[in-house]
Amino acid sequence: MTERSAGATLVRGGTVITMDDARRVIPDGAVVIEGSRITAVGRRDEVTAPAGAAVLDARGRYVIPGLIQAHLHLCQTLFRNLADDLELLDWLKLRIWPFEAAHDAGSMRSAAELGIAELLRGGTTALLDMGTVGHYDVVFEAAERTGIRLTGGKAMMDLGDDVPRGLRESTRASVDESVALAQRWHGKADGRLRYAFCPRFALSCTDDLLREVGSLVAGANDGVMMHTHASENRTECRLVRERFGRENIHALHELGLVGDRAGLAHCVWVDESERALLAQTGAAVLHCPGSNLKLASGIAPIPELMEAGATVAIGADGAPCNNNLDAFGEMRLAALIQKPRLGPRAMPARTVLELATRGGAAALGLDAEIGSLEAGKRADLVVLDPGRIASFPGDEPYGRVVYSVSADQVEHVFVDGRPLLRDGRLLTLDEDEVMTRAGSDLARVLSRADTGT
Ligand code: GUN
């Protein structure tokens, strides 16, 4: 790329997969970035850039909207490969909660930076994250520094005998700390950082906490959202049914938590009436196919949810239940897992790319800002090389991106017009340094973690 000048960049000559309302795919296209926004998208010969704009030659490349992962746990990245082959509740109690309870600010920083490095390398430009109970300022600081677009919040956990002491909080402290984090971070970095209240799941929260979060989110008019897990695992659903006397989504709805600023991760075990409720309320279903397979949770009825009219987005979940944070892998799985159940036309490639772009933007309440390449939107975009051997030949762009491109084909990433990956190299993180520090931080966390082994 030539020198940047006056904050403008012309991405020239690639196939631009806009994901706009008309789903235009523009061969030999161009995208103009000025400051943090896209100012023009079109054919190369019809688009003009300001004099002195830097030029990024994208011939032979695909230019796509930044991928949006709407359910992640950056704090768990340090625990990758340390919690395999367990089902959800054992995975949490035997491994993840003890590990999370042993985090300190330094290890949180390493976990966040490891995760962000992997996300940016793989073309993810925005995420919805859930932290652990403490140290969430560190995650916002990492996002602020590295340039990724983050909506997230600390996990809220005021219930559960199995919850380690280091994670168990009082209702008041949980709400007060969440409100203070929202006040410190929501809207910061020109709106790139946003807050989500994160009651972890019904089983780790009292009715009082859930109700209070519901009214805080309903009373806010600044885009603060609610992010939780729901109906991921059959035992979880049974325990919720025993406690509330109704199905999970209905119980959460009665507590005021299921509305158009809610993101509910998983939704594997939702019956027809819960699917209808999710659609009617405008809540987003955050689909995590890799995690749902690895934790043996099940296959979420995504085509049925979409048929009912629900908003659906995609996420890799945490590194210890996947074990990657790779949006391309997740898209591929999202398509493939439905086909044996519903036939080869279920979840076509274009639909899946929609979930990873427009669906993610809608789930975050940012559909006016991101999710497609259009003049006026934030310049969050990815340039990838579809011409490598594993995705060559063939030029059906959606199928190529969803079924054969992998994360290592991502060459350039911009967020808010700022280049964060150039020619495959991270510009805001030193990968070697992050990995070295993560190694020593992990040793310290493991020496403290009480996993009973
Ligand atoms: N349910 C409650 N906490 C978690 C978590 O950390 N990961 C997943 N996958 N499900 C959860």
Side-chain angles (χ1 to χ4, degrees):
M1 194 168 113
T2 57
E3 279 300 294
R4 263 169 78 75
S5 137
T9 302
L10 170 64
V11 182
R12 188 173 66 190
T15 296
V16 182
I17 304 175
T18 64
M19 303 310 288
D20 65 6
D21 290 349
R23 304 294 188 272
R24 281 183 307 156
V25 175
I26 310 170
D28 199 14
V31 178
V32 179
I33 301 170
E34 291 183 61
S36 64
R37 299 209 176 250
I38 295 170
T39 52
V41 178
R43 287 203 329 259
R44 183 161 64 113
D45 57 11
E46 68 185 14
V47 161
T48 50
V55 176
L56 175 58
D57 181 1
R59 280 174 298 175
R61 307 297 192 263
Y62 285 173
V63 185
I64 65 172
L67 299 172
I68 300 168
Q69 292 207 51
H71 182 63
L72 288 168
H73 297 264
L74 288 175
C75 70
Q76 294 175 3
T77 317
L78 210 54
F79 314 133
R80 195 196 316 266
N81 305 321
L82 292 175
D84 292 337
D85 307 329
L86 293 164
E87 68 85 42
L88 175 69
L89 298 179
D90 285 344
W91 179 83
L92 288 171
K93 290 175 197 171
L94 301 176
R95 293 275 187 278
I96 300 307
W97 287 345
F99 290 154
E100 285 187 13
H103 254 314
D104 54 42
S107 59
M108 272 294 270
R109 174 178 168 197
S110 288
E113 289 185 353
L114 265 182
I116 292 170
E118 184 183 1
L119 294 174
L120 291 174
R121 278 201 152 289
T124 294
T125 53
L127 69 146
L128 176 58
D129 184 60
M130 181 183 295
T132 185
V133 169
H135 314 295
Y136 205 76
D137 285 298
V138 171
V139 179
F140 275 122
E141 284 159 13
E144 185 176 43
R145 229 176 13 252
T146 57
I148 202 163
R149 188 178 301 285
L150 168 74
T151 303
K154 73 172 234 77
M156 306 177 80
M157 300 177 73
D158 69 338
L159 180 70
D161 295 336
D162 300 310
V163 174
R165 245 187 315 137
L167 296 185
R168 179 77 179 268
E169 25 170 29
S170 72
T171 310
R172 201 64 268 139
S174 185
V175 171
D176 288 350
E177 202 189 322
S178 301
V179 169
L181 280 162
Q183 282 167 351
R184 278 201 290 283
W185 291 102
H186 187 69
K188 285 284 149 62
D190 192 24
R192 184 164 55 77
L193 308 178
R194 292 160 65 88
Y195 200 73
F197 286 90
C198 296
R200 189 159 196 153
F201 64 159
L203 299 182
S204 67
C205 298
T206 60
D207 294 19
D208 284 349
L209 183 138
L210 295 169
R211 219 175 271 113
E212 192 158 351
V213 169
S215 55
L216 278 167
V217 173
N221 56 7
D222 56 359
V224 159
M225 62 179 291
M226 193 287 301
H227 177 200
T228 191
H229 300 91
S231 307
E232 173 176 3
N233 165 286
R234 277 194 265 209
T235 309
E236 169 210 348
C237 289
R238 176 175 58 74
L239 295 170
V240 170
R241 197 178 306 116
E242 284 168 12
R243 171 166 153 203
F244 292 103
R246 48 183 57 67
E247 297 302 324
N248 199 0
I249 305 300
H250 289 288
L252 294 174
H253 184 240
E254 279 163 34
L255 290 159
L257 285 173
V258 183
D260 64 357
R261 273 177 287 135
L264 288 84
H266 304 290
C267 297
V268 175
W269 301 103
V270 284
D271 67 21
E272 200 178 331
S273 71
E274 292 176 288
R275 298 200 287 267
L277 184 57
L278 288 163
Q280 277 156 26
T281 53
V285 171
L286 315 176
H287 179 38
C288 305
S291 162
N292 293 341
L293 291 174
K294 183 155 184 273
L295 297 176
S297 301
I299 294 178
I302 298 301
E304 292 89 334
L305 281 155
M306 292 175 69
E307 174 72 26
T311 298
V312 179
I314 292 187
D317 203 346
C321 61
N322 191 300
N323 290 359
N324 306 117
L325 308 180
D326 171 4
F328 291 92
E330 230 47 41
M331 286 194 287
R332 182 176 153 83
L333 278 179
L336 298 189
I337 57 173
Q338 303 296 343
K339 297 184 187 294
R341 230 168 48 83
L342 299 169
R345 290 187 213 288
M347 295 298 283
R350 189 177 101 168
T351 303
V352 173
L353 189 59
E354 286 167 0
L355 302 189
T357 53
R358 298 172 66 98
L364 290 169
L366 291 175
D367 31 349
E369 292 282 70
I370 55 174
S372 59
L373 299 178
E374 293 178 74
K377 285 203 167 179
R378 296 276 178 175
D380 291 10
L381 61 90
V382 168
V383 180
L384 60 87
D385 180 6
R388 309 249 183 103
I389 192 127
S391 50
F392 179 86
D395 205 18
E396 196 295 298
Y398 298 113
R400 206 168 180 189
V401 168
V402 168
Y403 295 124
S404 77
V405 165
S406 53
D408 62 0
Q409 288 165 251
V410 171
E411 292 184 334
H412 306 278
V413 171
F414 293 80
V415 176
D416 264 351
R418 180 182 177 198
L420 303 182
L421 186 84
R422 181 183 289 156
D423 295 319
R425 290 200 38 222
L426 289 167
L427 300 181
T428 56
L429 282 155
D430 177 336
E431 244 169 286
D432 291 339
E433 196 234 303
V434 169
M435 287 168 71
T436 304
R437 197 160 22 79
S440 54
D441 286 339
L442 175 61
R444 191 172 68 248
V445 170
L446 291 181
S447 73
R448 269 197 306 256
D450 181 8
T451 52
T453 53

